[in-house]
Amino acid sequence: MLDRSNIPSFVLRYLQRIEPDATFTASLPRVQSSSGHRYFVKIGSPGHREQYAGEAEALKSMNTAAPGLAPALHVLGVVDKSGEDSKDGEGRPFFISDYKDFKSLTDESGAVLGRRMATELHRHKSTTGYGFHVPTFCGATRLANGWFETWEKCFDAMIRDLLGTLASRGRYKELVDKGAEVRQRVIPALLGQLKIDPVLLHGDLWSGNTGTDTTTGEPVIFDPASLYGHNEADLAIARIFGGIPSSFFSTYHSHFPKTEPVEQYDQRGDLYELFHYLNHTVLFGGGYAGSAVGKMDDLLAAVE
C-alpha cells in the first residue's frame, strides 16, 4: 500500500482541488488517486524557480499543439518555508503533471511519434517570432530565449551564449575561435536564406526524453527545452545518441518534407548537432569538446 504520509501538505492541498472527492496515496514522485488517476509531483529548491517555470510553459505549449503527446500540467506553484503559497514569488517551486509509466520507443511508437511531431507539434506556429516567451533549460543550461525576427538570429544567439560560457572558463580557445568563425560564415550560409515558419520545438529530443506509454502503447515526450524555430533542429540530438528508431525519421519526413535547399539538409543537421555538442561541453566537458571541433571543421570546409 502506498503511504499517504509521504505527500507534503501543500501538494495534497492542490491535489484535493483537482479531485475534491478523491483520496491520495504516494511514493513520490508518483501519486495515486482513488479515482485511478496518477500524478507526477516535482519539487525543487528556490534556485530552480525559473527552470520549473520554463518546463511548465513548454509542457503547456506542447499540449496545446499535440494534446496528450507530453504529460499534461495541472499545477505550477511556489511555496514558502511554511508550505503556504508564496506571496512574493520566493520559495520552493513545484509542479504536478500526469504520471506516465513508459518503456523505450518501439518501431511502431517511433513511427507514431514521427507522424505526430510532423503533423501536430511542428505545425504549431508562433505569431511573435523565433524564440520563446520565457527562458527554458536544456539540461542545466539556461536558454535565454526572447524573440527574434529570423531563425538565423535566434540560433546564432543560442550558439553565442554557449561559446561565451566556454570562453569564460579559459580553456577552450580553439573551440571558441572556431565557433566565432562558424557564427560568421556557416550560420548565415546555411540559415540565412531559409523560408520557414517558427514552429514549436521540444528542444531536447533524445531517447532519454521519449518513451512508449505502457498502458496505451502511444509515444510520450517530456523534459522539454522548448522554443519556436526550424523544425529540423528537433531532429539533431535524436541522431547523436541513438535509441530513436529509424521509423521515426522516415515517417516524420513522409509528412514533413526536408526544407529547401534539400542538398544542405545534412549540413544543417550537423549545425544543429553542434549546438548539443557545445552544450554537452558546457555541462560535462570531456570528449564533447573534440566532437564539437570536428563538427566545426566539417561545417567550415563545407561552406568554403
Side-chain angles (χ1 to χ4, degrees), residues 9-112:
S9 59
F10 66 89
V11 172
L12 186 59
R13 183 168 70 243
Y14 277 94
L15 289 169
Q16 289 171 334
R17 293 178 189 176
I18 298 170
E19 293 193 64
D21 299 324
T23 58
F24 303 92
T25 52
S27 177
L28 293 182
R30 184 181 69 175
V31 174
Q32 180 74 47
S33 166
S34 58
S35 69
H37 200 91
R38 292 176 298 174
Y39 299 93
F40 177 78
V41 176
K42 188 172 180 178
I43 304 171
S45 64
H48 292 151
R49 292 192 307 276
E50 194 174 41
Q51 189 166 353
Y52 275 52
E55 184 172 353
E57 287 300 306
L59 286 173
K60 288 194 291 185
S61 295
M62 289 199 300
N63 267 290
T64 297
L69 186 58
L73 179 77
H74 296 282
V75 177
L76 169 68
V78 179
V79 292
D80 59 25
K81 292 180 180 179
S82 66
E84 297 300 318
D85 293 345
S86 173
K87 292 182 172 57
D88 58 7
E90 299 295 320
R92 289 182 296 161
F94 72 98
F95 71 67
I96 302 172
S97 69
D98 286 341
Y99 181 91
K100 301 284 188 181
D101 274 320
F102 62 90
K103 60 182 181 181
S104 298
L105 286 174
T106 63
D107 284 341
E108 292 77 15
S109 61
V112 175

Side-chain angles (χ1 to χ4, degrees), residues 69-259:
L69 186 58
L73 179 77
H74 296 282
V75 177
L76 169 68
V78 179
V79 292
D80 59 25
K81 292 180 180 179
S82 66
E84 297 300 318
D85 293 345
S86 173
K87 292 182 172 57
D88 58 7
E90 299 295 320
R92 289 182 296 161
F94 72 98
F95 71 67
I96 302 172
S97 69
D98 286 341
Y99 181 91
K100 301 284 188 181
D101 274 320
F102 62 90
K103 60 182 181 181
S104 298
L105 286 174
T106 63
D107 284 341
E108 292 77 15
S109 61
V112 175
L113 178 60
R115 175 180 57 78
R116 296 202 66 189
M117 294 278 292
T119 62
E120 297 177 64
L121 196 72
H122 289 171
R123 300 295 180 177
H124 188 71
K125 301 175 185 178
S126 164
T127 59
T128 307
Y130 299 85
F132 206 62
H133 58 286
V134 297
T136 50
F137 287 73
C138 192
T141 298
R142 181 181 185 270
L143 306 182
N145 290 324
W147 294 108
F148 299 83
E149 292 181 359
T150 68
W151 174 236
E152 177 189 356
K153 291 179 180 179
C154 180
F155 188 76
D156 179 68
M158 294 164 64
I159 295 293
R160 178 201 65 204
D161 289 349
L162 292 175
L163 292 172
T165 298
L166 293 168
S168 70
R169 297 180 182 177
R171 61 180 186 274
Y172 293 104
K173 186 178 187 308
E174 179 188 14
L175 187 152
V176 171
D177 289 347
K178 286 189 177 182
E181 194 173 356
V182 167
R183 290 183 61 203
Q184 182 180 13
R185 293 175 47 211
V186 176
I187 292 177
L190 294 182
L191 306 186
Q193 302 305 314
L194 294 182
K195 298 185 184 304
I196 57 173
D197 293 313
V199 299
L200 184 61
L201 308 180
H202 176 281
D204 193 14
L205 193 74
W206 68 292
S207 59
N209 290 341
T210 68
T212 305
D213 188 313
T214 57
T215 301
T216 65
E218 294 294 311
V220 59
I221 58 177
F222 44 91
D223 287 350
S226 289
L227 72 156
Y228 288 89
H230 185 198
N231 65 294
E232 289 178 4
D234 244 358
L235 310 183
I237 196 171
R239 295 190 184 93
I240 293 175
F241 298 113
I244 294 184
S246 60
S247 60
F248 166 80
F249 298 98
S250 59
T251 303
Y252 180 90
H253 280 308
S254 72
H255 293 280
F256 204 137
K258 297 174 182 178
T259 302

